[in-house]
Amino acid sequence: MPVSLADDIDILVKAKRSIAGDYLPGEDEPYMGEAQLNYFRRLLQAWKKAIHDSSADTLQHLQDGPIREPDLNDRASSETDWGIELRTRDRQRKLIAKIDSALRRIEEGEYGYCEVTGEPIGLGRLIARPIATMTVEAQEAHERREKVSRDD
């Protein structure tokens, strides 16, 4: 029962559907006004809840019993699947920390603005990646610097 990146994306899509209603942030309203902040707060909370619910399923499967496949190949395959599942859950644990950070930024009035330049991140980017902390340009520059330092 390994979890894939597609499952992570599905969790965000389900969170968006759960809060959908008639409202979607638009360019024709004040950037990071009360309606937009409320939308992103609800989205982040729904996303976090969906991740927690998914994690509970993993714990239940792990508690159902140890892997006891009689065939060594089947056992190795099952252990690999569980390893992937646990790595995915670790990635989701880190994602929850980023969601909590985004919720904190909403409360402090910093959400939606680049942590490097202070410029608006943009609605399109935030709708696609609600935990974004940088504009696309700042993120690209950050990744270039990271790549250069890794090459040294």
Side-chain angles (χ1 to χ4, degrees), residues 28-76:
D28 59 338
E29 58 188 321
Y31 186 72
M32 290 302 120
E34 193 58 39
Q36 289 181 359
L37 288 174
N38 188 43
Y39 171 83
F40 286 111
R41 181 182 299 110
R42 289 178 35 236
L43 175 60
L44 289 162
Q45 289 168 340
W47 193 12
K48 183 177 174 180
K49 182 184 180 319
I51 291 170
H52 279 296
D53 292 348
S54 179
S55 295
D57 292 343
T58 299
L59 288 175
Q60 184 59 48
H61 283 102
L62 287 173
Q63 292 172 350
D64 284 344
I67 300 169
R68 295 181 190 244
E69 302 288 345
D71 182 66
L72 291 178
N73 290 329
D74 290 343
R75 185 177 309 160

Coordinates of all heavy atoms in Angstrom, one line a residue, residues 28-76:
D28 N -9.4 40.5 -8.9 CA -10.2 41.7 -8.8 C -10.5 42.2 -7.4 O -11.3 43.0 -7.2 CB -11.5 41.5 -9.6 CG -12.3 40.3 -9.1 OD1 -11.7 39.4 -8.4 OD2 -13.5 40.3 -9.3
E29 N -9.8 41.6 -6.4 CA -10.1 42.0 -5.0 C -8.7 42.3 -4.4 O -7.7 42.0 -4.9 CB -10.8 40.8 -4.3 CG -10.0 39.5 -4.3 CD -10.8 38.4 -3.8 OE1 -11.5 38.6 -2.8 OE2 -10.7 37.3 -4.3
P30 N -8.8 42.9 -3.2 CA -7.5 43.3 -2.6 C -6.6 42.1 -2.3 O -7.1 41.1 -1.7 CB -7.9 44.0 -1.3 CG -9.4 44.4 -1.5 CD -9.9 43.4 -2.5
Y31 N -5.3 42.2 -2.6 CA -4.4 41.1 -2.4 C -4.3 40.8 -0.9 O -4.0 41.7 -0.1 CB -3.1 41.4 -3.0 CG -2.1 40.2 -3.0 CD1 -2.3 39.1 -3.8 CD2 -1.0 40.2 -2.1 CE1 -1.4 38.0 -3.7 CE2 -0.1 39.2 -2.0 CZ -0.3 38.1 -2.8 OH 0.5 37.0 -2.8
M32 N -4.5 39.6 -0.5 CA -4.4 39.1 0.9 C -5.4 39.9 1.8 O -5.1 40.2 2.9 CB -3.0 39.1 1.4 CG -2.1 38.1 0.8 SD -2.7 36.4 1.0 CE -2.9 35.9 -0.7
G33 N -6.5 40.2 1.2 CA -7.6 40.8 2.0 C -8.2 39.7 2.9 O -7.8 38.5 2.8
E34 N -9.2 40.0 3.6 CA -9.8 39.1 4.6 C -10.4 37.8 3.9 O -10.2 36.7 4.4 CB -10.9 39.8 5.4 CG -11.3 39.0 6.6 CD -10.2 38.7 7.6 OE1 -9.3 39.6 7.8 OE2 -10.2 37.6 8.1
A35 N -11.0 38.0 2.8 CA -11.6 36.9 2.1 C -10.6 35.9 1.6 O -10.7 34.7 1.8 CB -12.5 37.3 0.9
Q36 N -9.5 36.4 1.0 CA -8.4 35.6 0.5 C -7.7 34.9 1.7 O -7.4 33.7 1.6 CB -7.4 36.4 -0.3 CG -7.9 36.8 -1.6 CD -6.9 37.6 -2.4 OE1 -5.8 37.8 -2.0 NE2 -7.3 37.9 -3.7
L37 N -7.4 35.6 2.8 CA -6.7 35.0 3.9 C -7.6 33.9 4.5 O -7.1 32.8 4.9 CB -6.4 36.1 5.0 CG -5.3 37.0 4.6 CD1 -5.1 38.1 5.6 CD2 -3.9 36.2 4.4
N38 N -8.9 34.1 4.6 CA -9.8 33.1 5.1 C -9.8 31.9 4.2 O -9.8 30.8 4.7 CB -11.2 33.7 5.3 CG -12.1 32.8 6.0 OD1 -11.8 32.2 7.0 ND2 -13.4 32.6 5.5
Y39 N -9.8 32.1 2.9 CA -9.8 31.0 2.0 C -8.5 30.1 2.2 O -8.6 28.9 2.4 CB -9.8 31.5 0.5 CG -9.6 30.4 -0.5 CD1 -10.6 29.5 -0.9 CD2 -8.3 30.2 -1.0 CE1 -10.4 28.5 -1.8 CE2 -8.1 29.1 -1.9 CZ -9.1 28.3 -2.3 OH -8.9 27.3 -3.2
F40 N -7.4 30.8 2.3 CA -6.1 30.0 2.4 C -6.0 29.4 3.8 O -5.5 28.3 4.0 CB -4.9 30.9 2.1 CG -4.7 31.2 0.7 CD1 -5.0 32.4 0.1 CD2 -4.4 30.1 -0.2 CE1 -4.8 32.7 -1.2 CE2 -4.3 30.4 -1.6 CZ -4.5 31.6 -2.1
R41 N -6.5 30.0 4.8 CA -6.6 29.5 6.2 C -7.4 28.2 6.2 O -6.9 27.1 6.7 CB -7.1 30.4 7.2 CG -7.2 29.9 8.6 CD -7.8 30.9 9.6 NE -7.1 32.2 9.7 CZ -7.5 33.3 9.2 NH1 -8.7 33.4 8.7 NH2 -6.8 34.4 9.3
R42 N -8.6 28.2 5.6 CA -9.4 27.0 5.6 C -8.8 25.9 4.7 O -8.9 24.8 5.1 CB -10.8 27.4 5.0 CG -11.6 28.3 6.0 CD -13.0 28.7 5.5 NE -13.7 27.8 4.6 CZ -14.1 28.1 3.4 NH1 -14.0 29.3 2.9 NH2 -14.8 27.2 2.7
L43 N -8.2 26.3 3.6 CA -7.5 25.3 2.7 C -6.4 24.6 3.5 O -6.3 23.4 3.4 CB -7.0 26.0 1.5 CG -6.2 25.1 0.5 CD1 -7.0 24.0 0.0 CD2 -5.6 26.0 -0.7
L44 N -5.5 25.4 4.1 CA -4.4 24.8 4.8 C -4.9 23.9 6.0 O -4.3 22.8 6.2 CB -3.5 26.0 5.4 CG -2.7 26.7 4.3 CD1 -2.2 28.0 4.9 CD2 -1.6 25.9 3.8
Q45 N -5.9 24.3 6.7 CA -6.5 23.5 7.8 C -7.0 22.2 7.2 O -6.9 21.1 7.8 CB -7.5 24.3 8.6 CG -6.9 25.4 9.4 CD -7.9 26.4 10.0 OE1 -9.0 26.4 9.5 NE2 -7.5 27.1 11.0
A46 N -7.8 22.3 6.1 CA -8.3 21.1 5.5 C -7.2 20.2 5.0 O -7.3 18.9 5.1 CB -9.3 21.5 4.3
W47 N -6.2 20.7 4.4 CA -5.1 20.0 3.9 C -4.4 19.2 5.0 O -4.1 18.0 5.0 CB -4.1 20.9 3.2 CG -3.0 20.3 2.3 CD1 -3.0 18.9 1.9 CD2 -1.9 20.9 1.8 NE1 -1.8 18.8 1.2 CE2 -1.2 19.9 1.0 CE3 -1.5 22.2 1.8 CZ2 0.0 20.3 0.4 CZ3 -0.3 22.5 1.1 CH2 0.4 21.6 0.4
K48 N -4.2 19.9 6.1 CA -3.5 19.3 7.3 C -4.4 18.2 7.9 O -3.9 17.1 8.2 CB -3.3 20.4 8.4 CG -2.6 19.9 9.6 CD -2.3 21.1 10.5 CE -1.8 20.6 11.9 NZ -1.5 21.8 12.8
K49 N -5.7 18.4 7.9 CA -6.6 17.4 8.4 C -6.6 16.1 7.5 O -6.5 15.0 8.0 CB -8.0 17.9 8.6 CG -9.0 16.9 9.1 CD -10.4 17.4 9.2 CE -11.4 16.4 9.7 NZ -11.2 15.0 9.3
A50 N -6.5 16.3 6.2 CA -6.5 15.2 5.3 C -5.2 14.4 5.4 O -5.2 13.2 5.3 CB -6.7 15.7 3.9
I51 N -4.1 15.1 5.7 CA -2.8 14.4 5.9 C -2.9 13.6 7.1 O -2.4 12.4 7.2 CB -1.7 15.4 5.9 CG1 -1.5 16.0 4.5 CG2 -0.4 14.7 6.4 CD1 -0.5 17.2 4.4
H52 N -3.4 14.2 8.2 CA -3.5 13.4 9.5 C -4.4 12.2 9.3 O -4.1 11.1 9.8 CB -4.1 14.3 10.6 CG -3.1 15.2 11.2 ND1 -2.0 14.7 11.9 CD2 -3.0 16.6 11.2 CE1 -1.3 15.7 12.4 NE2 -1.8 16.9 12.0
D53 N -5.5 12.3 8.6 CA -6.4 11.2 8.4 C -5.7 10.1 7.6 O -5.8 8.9 7.9 CB -7.7 11.7 7.6 CG -8.6 12.6 8.4 OD1 -8.3 12.7 9.7 OD2 -9.5 13.2 7.9
S54 N -4.9 10.5 6.6 CA -4.2 9.5 5.8 C -3.1 8.8 6.6 O -2.9 7.6 6.5 CB -3.6 10.3 4.6 OG -2.8 9.4 3.8
S55 N -2.5 9.6 7.5 CA -1.5 9.0 8.4 C -2.1 8.0 9.3 O -1.4 7.0 9.7 CB -0.8 10.1 9.2 OG 0.0 10.9 8.3
A56 N -3.3 8.3 9.8 CA -3.9 7.3 10.7 C -4.2 6.0 10.0 O -4.0 4.9 10.7 CB -5.2 7.9 11.2
D57 N -4.5 6.0 8.7 CA -4.6 4.8 8.0 C -3.3 4.0 8.0 O -3.3 2.7 8.1 CB -5.1 5.0 6.5 CG -6.5 5.6 6.5 OD1 -7.2 5.5 7.5 OD2 -6.8 6.2 5.4
T58 N -2.2 4.7 7.8 CA -0.9 4.0 7.8 C -0.6 3.3 9.1 O -0.2 2.2 9.2 CB 0.2 5.0 7.4 OG1 0.0 5.6 6.1 CG2 1.6 4.3 7.4
L59 N -0.9 4.1 10.2 CA -0.6 3.5 11.5 C -1.5 2.3 11.7 O -1.0 1.3 12.3 CB -0.9 4.6 12.6 CG 0.1 5.7 12.7 CD1 -0.4 6.7 13.7 CD2 1.5 5.1 13.1
Q60 N -2.7 2.3 11.3 CA -3.6 1.2 11.4 C -3.0 0.0 10.7 O -3.0 -1.2 11.2 CB -5.0 1.5 11.0 CG -6.0 0.4 11.2 CD -6.1 0.0 12.7 OE1 -6.2 0.9 13.5 NE2 -6.0 -1.3 12.9
H61 N -2.6 0.2 9.5 CA -2.0 -0.9 8.7 C -0.7 -1.5 9.4 O -0.5 -2.7 9.4 CB -1.7 -0.5 7.3 CG -2.9 -0.4 6.4 ND1 -3.5 0.8 6.1 CD2 -3.6 -1.3 5.8 CE1 -4.5 0.6 5.3 NE2 -4.6 -0.7 5.1
L62 N 0.1 -0.6 9.9 CA 1.3 -1.1 10.6 C 0.9 -1.9 11.8 O 1.6 -2.9 12.2 CB 2.2 0.1 11.0 CG 2.9 0.7 9.8 CD1 3.6 2.0 10.3 CD2 3.9 -0.2 9.2
Q63 N -0.2 -1.5 12.5 CA -0.6 -2.2 13.7 C -1.3 -3.5 13.5 O -1.4 -4.3 14.3 CB -1.4 -1.3 14.6 CG -0.7 -0.1 15.2 CD -1.6 0.9 15.9 OE1 -2.8 0.8 15.7 NE2 -1.0 1.8 16.5
D64 N -1.7 -3.7 12.2 CA -2.4 -4.9 11.9 C -1.6 -6.2 12.0 O -2.1 -7.3 12.1 CB -3.0 -4.8 10.5 CG -4.3 -3.9 10.4 OD1 -4.8 -3.6 11.5 OD2 -4.7 -3.5 9.3
G65 N -0.3 -6.0 12.0 CA 0.6 -7.1 12.2 C 1.8 -7.0 11.4 O 1.9 -6.2 10.4
P66 N 2.8 -7.8 11.7 CA 4.1 -7.8 11.0 C 4.0 -8.4 9.6 O 3.0 -9.2 9.4 CB 5.0 -8.6 11.9 CG 4.1 -9.5 12.7 CD 2.8 -8.7 12.8
I67 N 5.0 -8.2 8.8 CA 5.0 -8.8 7.5 C 5.5 -10.2 7.7 O 6.5 -10.5 8.2 CB 6.0 -8.0 6.6 CG1 5.5 -6.6 6.5 CG2 6.1 -8.7 5.3 CD1 6.6 -5.7 5.8
R68 N 4.6 -11.2 7.3 CA 5.0 -12.6 7.4 C 4.8 -13.3 6.1 O 4.0 -14.3 6.0 CB 4.1 -13.2 8.5 CG 4.4 -12.7 9.9 CD 3.6 -13.3 10.9 NE 3.7 -12.6 12.1 CZ 4.2 -13.2 13.2 NH1 4.6 -14.4 13.2 NH2 4.3 -12.5 14.3
E69 N 5.4 -12.8 5.1 CA 5.3 -13.5 3.8 C 6.2 -14.7 3.8 O 7.4 -14.6 4.1 CB 5.8 -12.5 2.7 CG 5.0 -11.2 2.6 CD 3.6 -11.4 2.1 OE1 3.3 -12.4 1.5 OE2 2.8 -10.5 2.3
P70 N 5.7 -15.9 3.4 CA 6.5 -17.1 3.4 C 7.6 -17.0 2.3 O 8.7 -17.5 2.6 CB 5.5 -18.2 3.1 CG 4.3 -17.6 2.6 CD 4.3 -16.1 3.0
D71 N 7.4 -16.4 1.2 CA 8.3 -16.3 0.2 C 9.3 -15.1 0.4 O 8.8 -14.0 0.7 CB 7.6 -16.2 -1.2 CG 8.6 -16.1 -2.4 OD1 9.3 -17.1 -2.6 OD2 8.6 -15.1 -3.0
L72 N 10.6 -15.3 0.3 CA 11.5 -14.2 0.5 C 11.3 -13.1 -0.4 O 11.5 -11.9 0.0 CB 13.0 -14.8 0.4 CG 13.4 -15.7 1.5 CD1 14.8 -16.2 1.3 CD2 13.3 -15.0 2.9
N73 N 11.0 -13.4 -1.7 CA 10.8 -12.3 -2.6 C 9.5 -11.5 -2.3 O 9.5 -10.2 -2.4 CB 10.6 -12.8 -4.1 CG 11.9 -13.4 -4.6 OD1 13.0 -12.9 -4.2 ND2 11.9 -14.4 -5.4
D74 N 8.5 -12.1 -1.9 CA 7.3 -11.4 -1.5 C 7.5 -10.6 -0.2 O 7.1 -9.5 -0.1 CB 6.1 -12.4 -1.2 CG 5.6 -13.1 -2.4 OD1 5.8 -12.5 -3.5 OD2 4.9 -14.1 -2.3
R75 N 8.3 -11.1 0.7 CA 8.6 -10.4 1.9 C 9.5 -9.2 1.6 O 9.2 -8.1 2.1 CB 9.4 -11.3 2.9 CG 9.6 -10.6 4.3 CD 10.3 -11.5 5.2 NE 9.7 -12.8 5.4 CZ 10.2 -13.8 5.8 NH1 11.5 -13.8 6.3 NH2 9.6 -15.0 5.9
A76 N 10.4 -9.3 0.7 CA 11.3 -8.2 0.3 C 10.4 -7.1 -0.3 O 10.6 -5.9 -0.1 CB 12.4 -8.6 -0.6

